[in-house]
Amino acid sequence: MRTPAEQFNEAVGRQMRAEIAAARSSIAAMARSVGIARSALDNYVTGKRAIPVPVVYAVCATLGIEPHVLVARAEERLDADGTTAIITPLRRTTDVATPRDNTREVAFESDERHDADTDDLYD
């Protein structure tokens, strides 16, 4: 029985092969473009070997798609195949403070009094 990781690797490989074909390229041509052996890329897209992340990035860059798009399509492939691999969704972290982190600041149109301005602390 294949592990969920092996099932996912195979799905990513199948999706990568489909993306290469959709770009009207071949495994051999893509391997030359990204600088790896054709047999290595063939082993990746057939699920015989685990796909290194740098290879995913190189192939995606050559195809002009984002790696997360390839992975999302591979997840859809798993769902469509009825495969039981469990994929843990990645939660995006926000790059801005949440509302609970908001503090009043002195700004040009602020209601804060001037004596609350921190610039006065550095005389």
Side-chain angles (χ1 to χ4, degrees):
M1 182 166 183
R2 295 183 336 253
T3 66
E6 291 168 335
Q7 293 171 355
F8 183 67
N9 183 67
E10 289 173 11
V12 172
R14 288 192 309 270
Q15 187 61 40
M16 187 179 291
R17 182 176 21 189
E19 298 289 347
I20 291 169
R24 298 182 185 261
S25 187
S26 66
I27 299 299
M30 183 59 63
R32 281 192 301 274
S33 295
V34 298
I36 61 173
R38 185 211 50 83
S39 58
L41 186 57
D42 190 54
N43 284 333
Y44 299 145
V45 299
T46 57
K48 293 177 184 171
R49 292 186 56 203
I51 306 170
V53 172
V55 171
V56 173
Y57 270 79
V59 169
C60 287
T62 302
L63 294 172
I65 63 171
E66 295 292 326
H68 70 272
V69 172
L70 180 91
V71 171
R73 291 175 181 168
E75 289 176 1
E76 291 172 11
R77 222 175 241 283
L78 281 174
D79 289 341
D81 292 347
T83 310
T84 58
I86 299 170
I87 308 299
T88 304
L90 298 175
R91 282 188 242 144
R92 293 185 183 262
T93 57
T94 58
D95 59 348
V96 270
T98 61
R100 70 172 180 259
D101 295 329
N102 285 346
T103 56
R104 292 185 66 153
E105 296 180 21
V106 175
F108 292 108
E109 297 179 6
S110 174
D111 293 333
E112 285 291 316
R113 297 181 329 271
H114 180 68
D115 59 351
D117 190 340
T118 57
D119 288 342
D120 294 357
L121 302 176
Y122 300 103
D123 287 337

